[in-house]
Amino acid sequence: MTFMKIILFFTSFVVFVSCSSNSLVQEQEFGQKDEEKKKEIWQWTYEGDKGPDNWASLNPQYEMCKSGKLQSPINLVWHKPTSPSPLTVSYKEGDATVTNAGYTFRLEMTPQSQIKINNQEYLLEKIEFRTPSEHRLSGNALPAELQFYHRSPNGLKQAIISMFVIVGRESEWFNSIWETAAKTPLYKTSSTFRFNPSILIPPRKTFYHYKGSLSHPPCLEGVQWIVFNTPLQLSKKQLSTLRSVYNNNNRPVQNINNRDVTNY
């Protein structure tokens, strides 16, 4: 083998090894990113050093959790209802999945159910559980709260319907969700099943309405909150079942800062 051939062979070998090494590193990096994407590893929690008092210091994107003036949840005080109601609810059965999100069970809906408030339409995206309730009634927390997250068709506005949960009769709707949730591992999403969210909406739609924020990081403001007066019911056993997986996943109440809260 001539000297020139030896040089060319050696150069090719080095390039091959280098490319192979880079490919391996890239595969490892992509694998790690994929795992991080699959596992929704949250930077925040509901207690300790990463709890609500410190959310704003954990990530610059969470600054609103401290500096915001329209934060949620709040304490709601009853007063004489105003009419007419600006809300219409048009929910229907559709495909759903359950995600074990690491801080709650999240029922994710195909965006076809909708609400309209003050002539603005919003599509239902997901329902999340909080135990105990985040909002309070005259200073009192209730056993749980369901939050229905909606987004406007252009994606720029959000509205949340919130429903308190009290101890009462056993509810079949919870059993149908829990049957799937109980089999869904942490950070995983279940297979698709059918669910009709309209069964959760009371016939009499009286509610508190105010402008607030997401009640978890990044605490973005501009959210329309609709908190129903009529609560849902779960049996004591059902509530205990829910709390056995996620409990105390509620943000403390925030200052109302002279906001208008209307009771319809």
Side-chain angles (χ1 to χ4, degrees), residues 14-255:
V14 170
V15 170
F16 172 78
V17 171
S18 177
C19 290
S20 299
S21 177
N22 288 338
S23 297
L24 180 60
V25 170
Q26 289 176 349
E27 288 177 5
Q28 291 174 340
E29 288 179 349
F30 288 140
Q32 291 171 354
K33 290 177 181 178
D34 187 53
E35 284 301 310
E36 290 174 1
K37 186 176 181 180
K38 287 190 295 183
K39 293 183 179 181
E40 299 176 12
I41 301 174
W42 302 98
Q43 298 183 30
W44 52 272
T45 63
Y46 283 100
E47 58 185 5
D49 293 339
K50 295 183 178 181
D53 289 342
N54 298 316
W55 282 349
S57 64
L58 301 176
N59 187 320
Q61 296 181 3
Y62 302 168
E63 172 58 30
M64 191 67 72
C65 298
K66 181 178 180 180
S67 63
K69 301 300 182 184
L70 304 175
Q71 291 292 291
S72 298
I74 61 172
N75 179 47
L76 300 166
V77 179
W78 188 90
H79 52 269
K80 186 177 180 179
T82 300
S83 61
S85 170
L87 175 71
T88 56
V89 180
S90 303
Y91 284 173
K92 55 186 177 181
E93 184 180 48
D95 290 338
T97 57
V98 173
T99 296
N100 190 343
Y103 69 98
T104 188
F105 282 111
R106 187 165 63 220
L107 182 66
E108 298 177 336
M109 304 292 302
T110 300
Q112 56 186 9
S113 292
Q114 69 176 26
I115 62 171
K116 181 185 286 187
I117 184 162
N118 294 324
N119 296 317
Q120 171 66 60
E121 292 183 351
Y122 299 87
L123 294 171
L124 175 63
E125 294 185 326
K126 60 185 179 181
I127 303 172
E128 295 189 349
F129 293 80
R130 299 285 187 272
T131 55
S133 69
E134 291 196 304
H135 289 87
R136 297 199 172 206
L137 282 177
S138 298
N140 299 309
L142 283 86
E145 184 174 336
L146 256 64
Q147 297 174 351
F148 300 63
Y149 287 72
H150 306 74
R151 192 177 294 274
S152 62
N154 63 10
L156 299 179
K157 299 179 180 180
Q158 294 189 73
I160 300 175
I161 283 182
S162 187
M163 302 190 70
F164 293 112
V165 179
I166 61 173
V167 178
R169 64 179 179 273
E170 183 175 301
S171 297
E172 284 302 318
W173 65 264
F174 179 82
N175 290 337
S176 66
I177 294 173
W178 192 258
E179 182 180 0
T180 300
K183 297 182 291 188
T184 306
L186 188 62
Y187 304 122
K188 299 292 184 180
T189 298
S190 73
S191 56
T192 301
F193 62 99
R194 301 289 287 179
F195 185 76
N196 189 346
S198 68
I199 64 176
L200 303 177
I201 302 301
R204 188 182 181 193
K205 302 176 184 63
T206 61
F207 59 92
Y208 298 90
H209 176 236
Y210 76 96
K211 292 181 180 179
S213 72
L214 296 177
S215 60
H216 56 74
C219 306
L220 298 178
E221 297 185 340
V223 178
Q224 301 287 333
W225 276 92
I226 302 149
V227 185
F228 277 112
N229 283 299
T230 304
L232 296 167
Q233 295 185 41
L234 291 179
S235 69
K236 186 178 294 186
K237 182 178 179 180
Q238 288 176 319
L239 281 166
S240 296
T241 299
L242 179 60
R243 289 174 180 152
S244 69
V245 182
Y246 289 114
N247 195 24
N248 297 320
N249 60 344
N250 60 324
R251 187 188 191 188
V253 292
Q254 305 296 298
N255 291 328

